[in-house]
Amino acid sequence: QQPVQSPQAVILREGEDAVINCSSSKALYSVHWYRQKHGEAPVFLMILLKGGEQKGHDKISASFNEKKQQSSLYLTASQLSYSGTYFCGTEKSGGATNKLIFGTGTLLAVQP
Amino acid sequence: KAGVTQTPRYLIKTRGQQVTLSCSPISGHRSVSWYQQTPGQGLQFLFEYFSETQRNKGNFPGRFSGRQFSNSRSEMNVSTLELGDSALYLCASSLAGTDSRGAQYFGPGTRLLVL
């Protein structure tokens, strides 16, 4: 079942912060985050594993609440380059595969 | 290292035809996954290959098939094309092995239009 992302879209001014949420109805082993710019391929941002800690990448960080099967992506002091569609990809517990089920995406637009 | 490459980049076919798409993973990556991306359904998992074996399959009809070669290059085939198969087909490679998860690195995709 496809994870649900919220919000569906968000418009920011440069320097503002944003949070994107990803919720699943199934127990998760890991959550991946990707960003896709218009006309380009998705680009990997980070993975959060079950039992792992919050991760950060420059001014983008994420958390993973295993009990709630939820992950949140935090974008701090947004830059124009952050614009794009953000997808979470979830992997169920168990198995040794790379089967990712992606969320519906969150469109982020950062304006000057 | 060179990234994931996909050929062809664009393709126009008519209903009933078949098509083969190719994907060359990043050197050293043994896992290759295929996804279909459409505006209505988003990114949907087709299948994943690891060491020439299909490890997992998504909920697509049997018209969609794939294979992986000993050099980790992969192909996917769609037979008896339907209008609804028009989409961007993305291939992603990963270092992940039998007991670990890894980042997936996507190719530029093949945009297929079925008329």
Side-chain angles (χ1 to χ4, degrees), chain A residues 11-16 78-83 108-112:
Chain A
I11 301 174
L12 300 173
R13 294 283 184 192
E14 266 189 300
E16 292 181 339
S78 59
Q79 306 166 18
L80 294 175
S81 61
Y82 286 4
S83 293
L108 178 75
V110 181
Q111 298 179 340

Short mmCIF file of all heavy atoms in Angstrom, two decimals, chain A residues 11-16 78-83 108-112:
data_model
loop_
_atom_site.label_atom_id
_atom_site.label_comp_id
_atom_site.label_asym_id
_atom_site.label_seq_id
_atom_site.Cartn_x
_atom_site.Cartn_y
_atom_site.Cartn_z
N ILE A 11 4.61 26.08 -0.85
CA ILE A 11 5.36 27.19 -1.46
C ILE A 11 6.07 27.93 -0.33
O ILE A 11 5.45 28.29 0.67
CB ILE A 11 4.43 28.15 -2.22
CG1 ILE A 11 3.70 27.39 -3.34
CG2 ILE A 11 5.23 29.31 -2.81
CD1 ILE A 11 2.64 28.21 -4.06
N LEU A 12 7.35 28.14 -0.52
CA LEU A 12 8.16 28.82 0.49
C LEU A 12 8.89 30.01 -0.12
O LEU A 12 9.11 30.06 -1.33
CB LEU A 12 9.23 27.87 1.05
CG LEU A 12 8.83 26.58 1.73
CD1 LEU A 12 10.06 25.77 2.02
CD2 LEU A 12 8.07 26.89 3.01
N ARG A 13 9.31 30.91 0.76
CA ARG A 13 10.25 31.96 0.38
C ARG A 13 11.63 31.45 0.78
O ARG A 13 11.77 30.67 1.74
CB ARG A 13 9.95 33.25 1.13
CG ARG A 13 8.62 33.89 0.76
CD ARG A 13 8.71 34.60 -0.55
NE ARG A 13 7.47 35.30 -0.88
CZ ARG A 13 7.23 35.81 -2.08
NH1 ARG A 13 8.11 35.70 -3.05
NH2 ARG A 13 6.10 36.45 -2.30
N GLU A 14 12.63 31.89 0.08
CA GLU A 14 14.01 31.53 0.46
C GLU A 14 14.24 31.81 1.94
O GLU A 14 13.85 32.87 2.45
CB GLU A 14 14.99 32.38 -0.36
CG GLU A 14 15.49 31.73 -1.62
CD GLU A 14 16.61 32.51 -2.27
OE1 GLU A 14 16.37 33.68 -2.64
OE2 GLU A 14 17.71 31.95 -2.40
N GLY A 15 14.88 30.87 2.60
CA GLY A 15 15.20 31.05 4.01
C GLY A 15 14.16 30.47 4.97
O GLY A 15 14.44 30.31 6.15
N GLU A 16 12.98 30.13 4.44
CA GLU A 16 11.95 29.56 5.31
C GLU A 16 12.17 28.05 5.47
O GLU A 16 12.90 27.43 4.71
CB GLU A 16 10.55 29.83 4.73
CG GLU A 16 10.16 31.30 4.77
CD GLU A 16 8.76 31.54 4.23
OE1 GLU A 16 8.25 30.69 3.46
OE2 GLU A 16 8.17 32.59 4.58
N SER A 78 15.49 27.20 3.54
CA SER A 78 15.39 26.68 2.17
C SER A 78 16.08 27.59 1.14
O SER A 78 16.15 28.81 1.29
CB SER A 78 13.92 26.50 1.79
OG SER A 78 13.23 27.72 1.90
N GLN A 79 16.61 26.93 0.13
CA GLN A 79 17.28 27.61 -0.98
C GLN A 79 16.49 27.33 -2.25
O GLN A 79 15.71 26.39 -2.31
CB GLN A 79 18.70 27.07 -1.11
CG GLN A 79 19.51 27.13 0.17
CD GLN A 79 20.77 26.29 0.09
OE1 GLN A 79 21.22 25.92 -0.99
NE2 GLN A 79 21.36 25.99 1.23
N LEU A 80 16.72 28.15 -3.27
CA LEU A 80 16.03 27.95 -4.55
C LEU A 80 16.27 26.55 -5.09
O LEU A 80 15.38 25.94 -5.69
CB LEU A 80 16.50 28.99 -5.57
CG LEU A 80 16.15 30.44 -5.28
CD1 LEU A 80 16.78 31.36 -6.33
CD2 LEU A 80 14.64 30.65 -5.23
N SER A 81 17.46 26.01 -4.83
CA SER A 81 17.81 24.69 -5.35
C SER A 81 17.01 23.57 -4.69
O SER A 81 17.04 22.42 -5.15
CB SER A 81 19.30 24.42 -5.15
OG SER A 81 19.63 24.45 -3.76
N TYR A 82 16.30 23.86 -3.62
CA TYR A 82 15.50 22.83 -2.95
C TYR A 82 14.19 22.55 -3.69
O TYR A 82 13.51 21.58 -3.38
CB TYR A 82 15.16 23.26 -1.52
CG TYR A 82 16.30 23.20 -0.53
CD1 TYR A 82 17.59 22.85 -0.93
CD2 TYR A 82 16.09 23.50 0.80
CE1 TYR A 82 18.63 22.81 -0.03
CE2 TYR A 82 17.13 23.45 1.73
CZ TYR A 82 18.39 23.11 1.30
OH TYR A 82 19.42 23.07 2.21
N SER A 83 13.85 23.39 -4.63
CA SER A 83 12.59 23.20 -5.37
C SER A 83 12.58 21.86 -6.09
O SER A 83 13.60 21.42 -6.62
CB SER A 83 12.40 24.33 -6.38
OG SER A 83 12.21 25.56 -5.73
N LEU A 108 7.48 20.98 -3.81
CA LEU A 108 8.03 22.10 -3.04
C LEU A 108 8.52 23.17 -4.01
O LEU A 108 9.34 22.88 -4.88
CB LEU A 108 9.18 21.63 -2.15
CG LEU A 108 9.88 22.71 -1.33
CD1 LEU A 108 9.00 23.13 -0.17
CD2 LEU A 108 11.22 22.22 -0.82
N ALA A 109 8.03 24.37 -3.84
CA ALA A 109 8.48 25.49 -4.68
C ALA A 109 9.06 26.56 -3.77
O ALA A 109 8.39 27.04 -2.86
CB ALA A 109 7.32 26.06 -5.49
N VAL A 110 10.32 26.89 -4.00
CA VAL A 110 10.97 27.94 -3.22
C VAL A 110 11.10 29.17 -4.09
O VAL A 110 11.69 29.12 -5.17
CB VAL A 110 12.37 27.49 -2.73
CG1 VAL A 110 13.01 28.61 -1.90
CG2 VAL A 110 12.25 26.21 -1.91
N GLN A 111 10.56 30.27 -3.61
CA GLN A 111 10.58 31.52 -4.38
C GLN A 111 11.58 32.51 -3.78
O GLN A 111 11.84 32.45 -2.58
CB GLN A 111 9.17 32.13 -4.39
CG GLN A 111 8.14 31.25 -5.05
CD GLN A 111 6.75 31.87 -5.02
OE1 GLN A 111 6.46 32.74 -4.21
NE2 GLN A 111 5.89 31.41 -5.91
N PRO A 112 12.12 33.38 -4.65
CA PRO A 112 13.11 34.36 -4.14
C PRO A 112 12.46 35.32 -3.16
O PRO A 112 11.27 35.56 -3.20
CB PRO A 112 13.56 35.10 -5.41
CG PRO A 112 13.12 34.28 -6.55
CD PRO A 112 11.95 33.45 -6.09
#
